Each structure stands twice: as structure tokens, then as C-alpha cells.
Amino acid sequence: MPNCDRLFGLPILPVAEFNRLIKEQLGDKSLAWNDADSDGCIAPQELSAESPEILSSYVEVKKGAKKFTSEFENLYKSSVELYRNEKIKRELELTYLEEIHTDFDRWLRKNTDANEAQISAYKKGVKELLEAASVMQVIYQKQIGFNGLTGDEKLTEADSALIGRYGHPFCMGDQGAFCMALPSLSARSLNGVFPQGIKCDDMKGDLEGLENPFSTVIQNSDKTFATVPYAIAYKKDISAAVEHLRAAAVHFGEISREVPFSRHLLTLANALESEKPFPFLESDASWHVFGESDSIFMFRAGPDETGGDGVGDECQTKARFHFRLGLKVQEAKAFVDKYSPYFQKWENKVADLIGDSKNYEATAVVMNLPEFSDTIYETGDDIGGPNGTPIGQTLPNWCGADGKEEPCKRRVMIYRNKTLLSYGDKIVKKYIMPLFKSAHEEEFSSEDAGLRAVLLHEIGHNFGPQPGKPKPGADTTFDAGMGKWRGAMEEMKAEVLSLFFEGELLKEARADFKAGKISKTDLAKAETYYRKRAVYGIAWAERMILRATRGGKFEGNAYSKLSAVEVGFLLESGGLSYDESSKEFGFNFAGDKFMNGVEQLTKKMLRIYAGGSEQDASDLFLRYMEGDGFKLLHTDRLREIAGNMPSA
């Protein structure tokens, strides 16, 4: 097949799109391309028009051969630009902006006892951090092959909007050659971490260069590959970033509670300048100390997660630069303290539901919760895209001098405000709630139920079978038998238990009312809240199912998989219903059908997890991902109603 990836420096339009776009511009005097040899290459002899006079404007004969005219070149370029603009417009529809505004001065005065000198130091320190963030954004852009704009690119308003939203010009929803916020349509394969034109397979003989996450790779004149540490590859930018980090450290060092943060910034600056293969051993250690201190901040910056989202490094082995600054959420501890008296009772209930002491015995509950923070600024790899915005992370990804040290001390972080905004009232009520009977719309409230849903999910990880937890009288762990379902099973346990625990709390309220401990009004509030929490949980699940089935078949992560099981099972058990005539889902709260359905699913899921059968887990998940249970999800209706739902 001829090599015709580009024409006039631009990608080749598909035949149907070429003919459509040409007709839109020329009307009845249009050209047509028939691609007679089906090679995808536009040849002059494959163009036709209603008359020779029209065709002669675009094809001429020189030295006995047909050639494109300059008029055709202009026409082709304008067609490509029209097509590109269509693509950019569709890409912008895949996401929407949620503004996060933080009045830092007001927050400090409300939540700390900082004096004026300390408030001034806080502000100066944050100002320096934001300067460092801008530099790390530049490094991230270079990593994915975007070295900034040139004067040759005449951007449209939509182009500027996309670059402003993503931080780069590459579409992530549509990863085709025409979806790029650059009229020149530079090749998407550009990246700043590997030699241009080199594929992953080309470097299989150089595993160190391919796999080390904190280095770029260059190709020597003898065709061998060499590793270049980030500290050298991005030396100028890193020098600028660490200058701001060290300046920030000076300001935070003036505040006693921020001394651990100041020390971390200094060790991070040293690590960024280090040429060691895994340079973050000391800075990660100081990061843990800072995280355990009473600092007001959550902070993580530098190279962490490997590539994704269809931009840059196709090998997905190189850690990308990012910056996230947040403020710790104090309410999380108060929530845990409030419900801690129930924890052992819930653990005993979990053991009762499993009902087999050979597979599981109740143990003393040890609560390990993630850290909750509100993000106030982020750049680089943290931004997200059409497939969702990061609402949590577990870091670091590599430990020790060789990156392989295990066990590896890690921190699990949840970004509260981003979580609640991503599943907020505005977006969910517009796209997801029309799936349900209208009576349920007012029962959705992310403000009432969102944070508690996240907290109870994370609390749920600490009950019953757990990854790394040994089975009774055995050396094997509960997750060992789950095989490829281990991650999805653990996440399903946490999510289903969060709804199950809400039912237990409602039962407790009913018992308290019966015993005269609470009023009828208090009981009514508990009943109303339970409904809100249930509606929030299932609306969240529908969002996860949508993400996995937009292409018509199930292609999702652990959250999408557990959501399919949860919704499908509750439809089968009667907790949820689907009206074929109105095409609406409904919640069956009467007679506690929903609550009982959740308990049935909890029991089934826990028994499979405790039993350790990968086959049983597979049967459960696949029933609702591709089997008869999948039909219950009515994903065609889901796509019809919410198919255009954007990500925050």
C-alpha cells in the first residue's frame, strides 16, 4: 500500500467525510473522490466532477501526468480545517468546568489560630508553590510532546478553550489524527520521553531505559539506547521549580506547625535535582512525616503516575509531572469518631452474614482510612479529561533505592471537593436522574449524601475479608483466590457495605424510636436520609456503568464492574425496578425491598470473597457484564438519556 499518511502536510480525510465536506463548500459544483483502489490515498485520477470544466480547476495535466492544482490544495486544507473544528467542538462537549475558588486568607482565619505574621508567611509560601506549579506544568507538556505554541498556529476560540482546559492541544476522547487544537495537525505520536518514531517494541533490548520511570531515553548514533535522568533532561525547568520550592520552604519554616512541610519541600527539591535512578527515597520519607503532622496542607508534586489518556508516552512507563495542593479535611476524623461505636458490631454482622467460621472469623476492627483533602490548585497530569478527573490517589508507586522495595509505605488520598463536584446535583440531575421516576429526583443530594458515601465506602474496606489478610488457620490471603477479580471484589465489598451499613443505621434509629430514645421527627429524618443515600449510591453506579458501556459493550474499571453487579442484582431481587412502558427505573423502598436486596447482595458477595473462589467471583461479575443480567441494566436507555454526559 502506498505511504500516504498525509497530503499537503495534513492527514488524509476519510472518503465519506471528504465528499461531504467538499459538497458543503462547493454545492452542485462539487468534486467526488471514489478511492477506486481502496488504498485511502487521494489520487488526482480518482477525482470526478459534473463537468470537465469544474474538474480542471482542481486537476491539471503536466508532462502527461495528472496533478493537483493549487486551488485543490486550498480546498483540501479548508476541508480539513472544517473537519478539525467539528472534532474539537465534540471534544469540548465531553467535559465541563467546575470552578474551585478558595479564599485562602478567610480560610486561614477561620480554621487556624495563625497570627498576622504567620498568615503573611502562609501566603508568601503558597505564592512560591504556585510558581513551581507553573514550571511543572511546562515539564509535563514537554513530556507529552507539546513544547508550547508558535506564532504559526492561528488558533480558534475552541482551540484556545481546549488547550486551556486540558493544558495541551491533544484530544483525549477522540484520539484520531484530526482531533487536535493545532491547525497544523502535528503528529500525535510526539512525546518528550522517547526518541521520535521509536516504538515500545524497538526498545525491548533496553529494559532499563524503557522501564525506569524517572528518565527519558535517547538513541545513540550506533542505534543503541541510553537513559537520561529527568534531572538532566529537564534541567533548566527543574532548576526553576526547585528554586521556588526552596523559597516556599523558607516561608513555611517560620510557622511551627509547618516545619515538617518545609523539610519535605527541601528534600523534594534535592530529589528533583538528583540523577539517581530512583531519587525520591528521602523525599517520600519526609512526605510521610509531613502527612502525619498537623500541617494544614495536603501536597504532592513531581513525577508520579505513568502515562495514559492517549497522549504522549504510548509505552506508559514514564512518570509524569504533576502538582496538587490541598487543605486537609478535618470533618473526616469527626465522622469516624461519631460512628466508631458501631464498628465492632458491624464486623460481627459481616461474620454472621458469611456464616462459616472456617472461611471467616470476626476480628478486632483496625480502622485505616485514607486522607481527605480539598484540592485548591493542580496542574500537569492531575487535570483529567473525558474519562474522568482524578478524585483520589495511592502514592508513592515506587519505594526504595531500586524502586522495588516491598512492603512499601503508601498514603491513600481522597480529594473531597473534586469527588462531590464530579457527582454534584447539577450534572447528575441533568443527565442521570431522568433515568428514574420523577419522584426520586428530589431525593438526590450530593451535599447531604456525597461525603458520607465516600467515607462509608472507605470505612467498608476495613471490614470482612481484605487484601493481604490471612484466612483463618491458613497462610493464604483472602484476595489470593480472587485472581483477576481481586481489585473489583475489594471495591465492591467497600461500596456494597457502605449501603448495607446505612441500612444498619436506619434499623438502629427504628429501634431507638421504639425504645423512646428518639422522636418521631428524628426517625422521619433517618428514613428520609436513607432514601437520599440510596438514590445517591445508585445514581453514582449508573454513571460508572455509562462510562463502561458507551461503546456498546462493557469496557470498564473496578468501579464500573461493581456497579453493574450492584444495579443488576438489585433489579433481580426487587430492590430496584424498571418500567418497560415509561422506560424508567424506580426504587422500591416500601417493605424495605431495597434494604433487603442490599443485604442479599452483601451476603452473596461476602461469601464469595471469604470462600476464595475466582470462578464464583467470575460468575457473579460476568453475569451482569455480559450475561443475561447485563440486559437488566438497559444500557441502551442509559446511553439514550445520559450518553452525552460530560466529565468534570
Side-chain angles (χ1 to χ4, degrees):
M1 179 180 290
N3 181 9
C4 55
D5 291 338
R6 300 177 82 81
L7 177 65
F8 308 124
L10 298 169
I12 305 296
L13 285 164
V15 178
E17 299 301 334
F18 174 91
N19 290 330
R20 174 181 66 84
L21 292 161
I22 296 293
K23 187 172 181 60
E24 285 180 7
Q25 296 173 85
L26 300 182
D28 293 337
K29 296 182 178 181
S30 181
L31 289 171
W33 170 33
N34 59 33
D35 194 19
D37 53 9
S38 300
D39 65 354
C41 303
I42 303 178
Q45 61 271 21
E46 293 177 331
L47 296 182
S48 61
E50 288 187 358
S51 68
E53 290 77 15
I54 295 175
L55 185 61
S56 64
S57 297
Y58 306 106
V59 177
E60 61 185 357
V61 178
K62 285 188 175 181
K63 296 182 180 180
K66 290 185 176 181
K67 304 287 185 181
F68 293 125
T69 66
S70 59
E71 193 169 344
F72 176 77
E73 179 178 349
N74 292 335
L75 180 63
Y76 184 77
K77 288 181 176 179
S78 66
S79 300
V80 168
E81 181 64 3
L82 286 172
Y83 193 48
R84 188 186 72 83
N85 287 335
E86 291 175 356
K87 295 281 190 178
I88 294 296
K89 180 181 178 182
R90 292 192 195 110
E91 182 76 15
L92 286 170
E93 291 171 350
L94 297 176
T95 57
Y96 71 101
L97 298 178
E98 284 280 8
E99 184 180 78
I100 295 176
H101 176 79
T102 306
D103 186 330
F104 189 47
D105 181 273
R106 182 178 180 183
W107 189 96
L108 286 170
R109 296 178 189 280
K110 180 180 178 181
N111 295 282
T112 73
D113 57 359
N115 58 36
E116 292 301 322
Q118 291 169 332
I119 288 175
S120 175
Y122 267 120
K123 291 180 179 179
K124 290 176 181 178
V126 167
K127 184 176 185 297
E128 293 291 346
L129 290 181
L130 297 184
E131 294 290 344
S134 297
V135 179
M136 291 189 186
Q137 169 72 1
V138 171
I139 300 175
Y140 164 73
Q141 290 172 331
K142 290 180 178 180
Q143 288 181 299
I144 64 173
F146 178 50
N147 292 308
L149 296 167
T150 67
D152 297 332
E153 298 282 2
K154 295 180 173 55
L155 302 185
T156 66
E157 186 176 329
D159 291 334
S160 298
L162 187 72
I163 294 173
R165 193 172 299 188
Y166 288 176
H168 57 72
F170 309 118
C171 296
M172 294 187 281
D174 177 348
Q175 296 179 17
F178 291 92
C179 198
M180 189 183 301
L182 297 174
S184 63
L185 288 174
S186 304
R188 278 189 69 100
S189 61
L190 292 174
N191 69 80
V193 291
F194 293 125
Q196 296 306 317
I198 298 297
K199 301 293 184 181
C200 294
D201 288 344
D202 298 332
M203 293 186 293
K204 285 294 173 65
D206 182 57
L207 292 179
E208 180 183 354
L210 177 64
E211 294 181 351
N212 179 272
F214 305 119
S215 66
T216 63
V217 177
I218 60 172
Q219 189 173 31
N220 299 315
S221 57
D222 62 358
K223 303 299 182 182
T224 60
F225 298 100
T227 296
V228 181
Y230 281 171
I232 296 176
Y234 307 117
K235 184 173 182 178
K236 181 179 178 181
D237 294 314
I238 284 177
S239 295
V242 301
E243 181 179 344
H244 292 298
L245 292 177
R246 287 173 176 141
V250 172
H251 295 302
F252 292 126
E254 297 172 5
I255 308 165
S256 58
R257 72 186 297 175
E258 300 300 344
V259 169
F261 184 31
S262 173
R263 290 171 180 163
H264 169 61
L265 293 174
L266 293 175
T267 58
L268 175 61
N270 293 338
L272 289 169
E273 291 182 321
S274 171
E275 297 176 20
K276 294 179 181 178
F278 289 87
F280 297 100
L281 183 62
E282 292 183 10
S283 65
D284 281 340
S286 70
W287 183 63
H288 287 301
V289 173
F290 144 62
E292 293 163 1
S293 74
D294 69 343
S295 168
I296 67 171
F297 294 114
M298 188 288 298
F299 174 81
R300 183 76 183 184
D304 269 317
E305 306 285 15
T306 53
D309 294 324
V311 292
D313 166 21
E314 65 172 21
C315 305
Q316 300 189 21
T317 59
K318 300 302 181 180
R320 301 184 178 198
F321 273 75
H322 71 122
F323 175 102
R324 176 172 279 112
L325 180 66
L327 298 169
K328 291 179 181 177
V329 174
Q330 304 302 323
E331 296 96 307
K333 183 179 183 302
F335 181 93
V336 174
D337 291 344
K338 179 179 179 180
Y339 290 102
S340 59
Y342 298 102
F343 290 165
Q344 197 58 51
K345 186 188 298 186
W346 289 348
E347 168 68 2
N348 296 338
K349 181 68 175 181
V350 164
D352 289 343
L353 288 175
I354 294 172
D356 184 352
S357 60
K358 292 181 180 179
N359 280 332
Y360 190 79
E361 293 179 342
T363 59
V365 177
V366 178
M367 193 57 53
N368 294 308
L369 282 180
E371 302 166 35
F372 290 87
S373 63
D374 285 333
T375 296
I376 62 174
Y377 197 79
E378 61 186 8
T379 61
D381 199 38
D382 286 332
I383 298 299
N387 294 320
T389 183
I391 58 175
Q393 283 177 296
T394 300
L395 294 171
N397 290 315
W398 300 274
C399 288
D402 62 356
K404 299 178 181 179
E405 183 178 295
E406 292 291 347
C408 176
K409 184 178 180 181
R410 295 182 170 95
R411 289 166 60 185
V412 181
M413 298 160 289
I414 301 294
Y415 313 127
R416 177 183 70 168
N417 55 348
K418 293 189 70 179
T419 301
L420 299 184
L421 287 170
S422 296
Y423 303 97
D425 289 33
K426 179 177 66 175
I427 190 72
V428 174
K429 285 187 174 181
K430 180 177 180 180
Y431 288 97
I432 296 296
M433 292 315 296
L435 285 164
F436 297 92
K437 294 183 182 298
S438 58
H440 301 304
E441 182 173 352
E442 293 307 314
E443 292 174 325
F444 180 86
S445 173
S446 60
E447 183 177 354
D448 286 349
L451 178 60
R452 184 154 142 178
V454 174
L455 284 164
L456 276 179
H457 175 101
E458 298 303 333
I459 283 173
H461 282 298
N462 296 273
F463 296 87
Q466 298 171 39
K469 189 175 182 178
K471 300 184 71 171
D475 294 329
T476 57
T477 60
F478 286 104
D479 59 317
M482 290 295 98
K484 67 179 182 179
W485 303 105
R486 63 201 311 170
M489 181 61 79
E490 176 59 25
E491 291 302 328
M492 179 163 68
K493 182 198 74 173
E495 183 62 22
V496 173
L497 279 179
S498 75
L499 275 176
F500 174 73
F501 292 155
E502 294 286 11
E504 294 298 290
L505 289 170
L506 179 54
K507 290 177 184 178
E508 189 91 13
R510 289 172 177 173
D512 286 346
F513 172 71
K514 194 172 182 179
K517 296 180 180 179
I518 64 173
S519 68
K520 189 174 183 179
T521 300
D522 291 333
L523 176 60
K525 288 180 180 179
E527 297 277 1
T528 298
Y529 178 77
Y530 180 79
R531 294 166 70 102
K532 287 186 175 184
R533 175 63 184 85
V535 172
Y536 179 91
I538 298 303
W540 173 87
E542 291 287 1
R543 176 68 167 122
M544 294 295 106
I545 295 170
L546 173 65
R547 283 183 176 165
T549 58
R550 269 182 165 150
K553 61 179 181 178
F554 204 99
E555 297 176 303
N557 59 18
Y559 302 107
S560 298
K561 292 170 184 174
L562 77 86
S563 296
V565 174
E566 183 178 60
V567 173
F569 188 95
L570 288 172
L571 284 164
E572 281 187 315
S573 63
L576 294 172
S577 60
Y578 184 77
D579 188 323
E580 293 286 353
S581 59
S582 66
K583 296 185 177 181
E584 293 174 320
F585 291 93
F587 289 80
N588 298 326
F589 293 117
D592 285 340
K593 286 185 178 180
F594 184 86
M595 187 189 298
N596 293 336
V598 170
E599 182 165 337
Q600 291 172 37
L601 175 57
T602 305
K603 181 187 295 186
K604 185 177 184 68
M605 173 269 301
L606 286 171
R607 288 182 174 182
I608 290 174
Y609 202 167
S613 169
E614 181 179 3
Q615 185 59 55
D616 288 346
S618 183
D619 290 344
L620 178 63
F621 280 103
L622 292 182
R623 172 169 178 76
Y624 302 103
M625 289 169 56
E626 61 185 33
D628 291 340
F630 178 73
K631 298 175 183 177
L632 297 170
L633 304 180
H634 294 279
T635 57
D636 51 347
R637 179 62 173 167
L638 176 59
R639 291 194 300 274
E640 178 187 349
I641 296 297
N644 293 324
M645 184 177 185
S647 293

